[in-house]
Amino acid sequence: MASPWRLEAGALTALALPMIAGNIAWAGIAATDLLLLGRLGASAVASGALAINLFNALLIFGMGLVTAAAPLIATERGRRRHSVRDVRRTVHQTLRAAALFVLPAWALLWESEAILLLMGQDADLAAGAGQLMRGLQWALLPFLGFTTLRNFISALERPVWGLVIMVCAIPLNLLAGWALIFGHLGFPPLGIFGAGIASSLSSSFLFFGLLSVILIDRRFRRYRLLGRFWSRDRERHRAVWTLGLPIAITLGLETTVFNASAFLMGLIDRDSLAAHAVAIQIAALAFMVPMGIGQAATVRVGLAYGKRDRAGVGRAGWLALAIGTGFALMAATMLIALPRTLISAFLDLRDPANGRTTALAVSFLGVAALFQLVDAAQAVGAGVLRGIQDTRVPMIFALIGYWVIGIGVGVVLAFPLGLQGLGIWLGLASGLGVVALLLVIRWTLRERLELLSQRRNM
């Protein structure tokens, strides 16, 4: 018979691979937007970077909130393998929580141009970002709905349909962006605003596409997700917010520190901002792998946690950390060896006007290679702790690491010490390193800290 470690490795890999591919597909959707905006010029890329960073700050917060569905469903399935009603309750209340979050978020995003001006951004770039946001902000609700449904099927250990729908959305987003930005297929040229509309259409496709699969596929149909949708369930709604809000704040702190770095780049010059937008997109693509491993680890750890299988919890967590850091080594090697090749997907390296932007992007990717290991460790470390429903202390770690250390070190290096954009990236690396170290230590001490006590978490 296969050893428990080998069985766990197989189950974790089978769950993680479709989730990783789905994350890469999600990043691919965002990358197509940046690729199309690049054909409008560096100013369009810079405006797009400002708008996307502001949008992502709220999107990632909402994704953190609905991420609560994965450990809640996994733990319930660990207790009772064929539970239906409690799983459905969790999905319903997670969708409700998403809707409650989106309403004020839309009001905030509507004022994007004014917000960016208050942050001291260039007036022309802020105006372009505001135009894009008027089309992009409507993507928020359907994407959070899709993320909730994706967490549902992933917690059932059947994540492939989420990948299929996301892969189908990439050419749809590319076609819609091409038609709406440049005025093809009978549409008027909408420019940067068209990129936002295309993203909203793609997000709607994601939600309704996955919902259709869930309603048709017999393996999902038994949960009757639309049944008794409007029934009040204060206890489960509270559980979603109790578990999901710290995750949302943690992801929000992580995302906004990168957003803040983009705004700081905007205070330096346009070339630095454009180079940052390209480099961060490449780094984000690499991050999709440890992110997917962390998501899979949340489910696998949650299943063992629900069964009260302490040895299974440890196996799932340590294997996820080992696999995540192993990939990070390969990603770092690629960033060091092929920076210009990667950058050429976003910028025309033959154009002399892009020379300084390219050089800056190469230097930023050098730092990104250095923090691949710690970035993977913090992503997977957070995932395994979520599996045992430990989310509040990691939130505090994120606050200290990202904002006190990451931004603090970055600002000092960038401005008083004169390293400019490179200093900001070194600050990001230091913040990620501190968070990774704290999360791994907490996971190592989980027994001593009594983190596996279900009474504490329920």
Side-chain angles (χ1 to χ4, degrees):
M1 294 180 63
S3 71
W5 286 89
R6 183 176 297 178
L7 291 173
E8 179 58 42
L12 179 66
T13 302
L15 181 58
L17 286 176
M19 299 181 80
I20 291 168
N23 291 339
I24 293 172
W26 172 44
I29 294 172
T32 58
D33 292 335
L34 197 59
L35 288 169
L36 290 170
L37 290 175
R39 302 303 178 260
L40 295 177
S43 292
V45 172
S47 290
L50 290 176
I52 291 170
N53 274 287
L54 185 58
F55 176 80
N56 281 346
L58 293 175
L59 175 65
I60 298 298
F61 187 95
M63 289 177 66
L65 177 62
V66 302
T67 293
L72 286 172
I73 294 172
T75 300
E76 177 59 33
R77 292 188 65 240
R79 288 198 201 96
R80 294 182 296 169
R81 183 71 178 175
H82 300 292
S83 175
V84 170
R85 179 176 176 272
D86 280 314
V87 170
R88 183 172 62 243
R89 288 171 63 201
T90 296
V91 175
H92 285 179
Q93 298 311 311
T94 304
L95 290 171
R96 284 191 173 194
L100 287 174
F101 163 73
V102 163
L103 293 176
W106 274 338
L108 187 65
L109 292 175
W110 189 258
E111 301 297 332
S112 296
E113 181 178 353
I115 292 171
L116 292 171
L117 289 175
L118 287 174
M119 292 179 176
Q121 299 301 311
D122 180 273
D124 291 338
L125 296 182
Q131 291 177 22
L132 191 149
M133 191 67 78
R134 291 294 170 92
L136 176 62
Q137 69 179 81
W138 311 113
L140 189 59
L141 182 58
F143 195 88
L144 292 182
F146 166 76
T147 304
T148 301
L149 298 180
R150 187 181 179 217
N151 285 328
F152 160 68
I153 65 173
S154 298
L156 299 182
E157 298 184 278
R158 294 188 176 112
V160 174
W161 273 112
L163 167 62
V164 171
I165 299 297
M166 294 196 87
V167 168
C168 292
I170 295 176
L172 173 65
N173 188 67
L174 184 61
L175 178 63
W178 174 73
L180 296 174
I181 293 172
F182 303 108
H184 298 293
L185 302 179
F187 292 95
L190 299 177
I192 197 168
F193 172 69
I197 293 294
S199 294
S200 292
L201 291 173
S202 300
S203 293
S204 298
F205 168 80
L206 289 171
F207 174 69
F208 289 109
L210 187 53
L211 179 62
S212 298
V213 169
I214 290 171
L215 295 178
I216 294 171
D217 191 304
R218 62 180 179 81
R219 293 172 298 179
F220 303 130
R221 196 170 56 219
R222 63 188 289 260
Y223 290 91
R224 297 171 55 202
L225 285 191
L226 295 185
R228 300 178 61 84
F229 183 81
W230 300 109
S231 298
R232 299 179 67 181
D233 190 344
R234 291 181 179 178
E235 180 183 354
R236 188 55 53 94
H237 192 76
R238 188 184 304 112
V240 170
W241 280 96
T242 299
L243 184 60
L245 187 58
I247 300 175
I249 295 173
T250 299
L251 294 184
L253 290 169
E254 180 182 358
T255 302
T256 53
V257 80
F258 283 96
N259 295 344
S261 68
F263 299 139
L264 290 171
M265 290 290 183
L267 298 177
I268 298 173
D269 54 45
R270 294 191 180 195
D271 287 336
S272 295
L273 179 57
H276 178 79
V278 171
I280 208 70
Q281 187 66 54
I282 295 170
L285 285 170
F287 178 71
M288 294 301 104
V289 176
M291 179 180 174
I293 295 170
Q295 290 168 329
T298 296
V299 174
R300 294 299 305 169
V301 170
L303 288 168
Y305 177 67
K307 296 175 183 175
R308 300 180 184 270
D309 180 2
R310 292 174 179 248
V313 166
R315 281 193 299 270
W318 286 120
L319 279 169
L321 284 165
I323 294 170
T325 52
F327 168 81
L329 285 171
M330 295 187 292
T333 301
M334 181 173 292
L335 291 177
I336 292 172
L338 303 170
R340 293 181 65 86
T341 301
L342 297 171
I343 294 167
S344 66
F346 301 92
L347 293 173
D348 184 357
L349 303 187
R350 297 169 297 181
D351 187 348
N354 292 331
R356 183 168 180 268
T357 301
T358 301
L360 288 169
V362 169
S363 68
F364 296 163
L365 287 181
V367 180
L370 295 177
F371 70 57
Q372 285 299 303
L373 279 174
V374 292
D375 203 12
Q378 66 85 21
V380 179
V384 298
L385 288 172
R386 286 170 198 151
I388 56 175
Q389 302 188 16
D390 180 43
T391 61
R392 295 181 185 177
V393 173
M395 174 184 69
I396 298 171
F397 292 166
L399 175 62
I400 296 171
Y402 297 138
W403 280 94
V404 177
I405 296 174
I407 287 294
V409 171
V411 168
V412 170
L413 292 176
F415 298 105
L417 297 183
L419 292 181
Q420 296 190 322
L422 185 61
I424 292 171
W425 274 73
L426 290 170
L428 293 175
S430 65
L432 288 167
V434 168
V435 175
L437 179 63
L438 292 173
L439 290 173
V440 173
I441 290 174
R442 185 165 177 82
W443 169 254
T444 304
L445 299 177
R446 64 191 180 281
E447 294 279 4
R448 189 180 305 177
L449 296 174
E450 298 184 351
L451 299 183
L452 300 184
S453 170
Q454 297 206 25
R455 181 177 296 178
R456 179 188 68 85
N457 293 284
M458 293 297 119

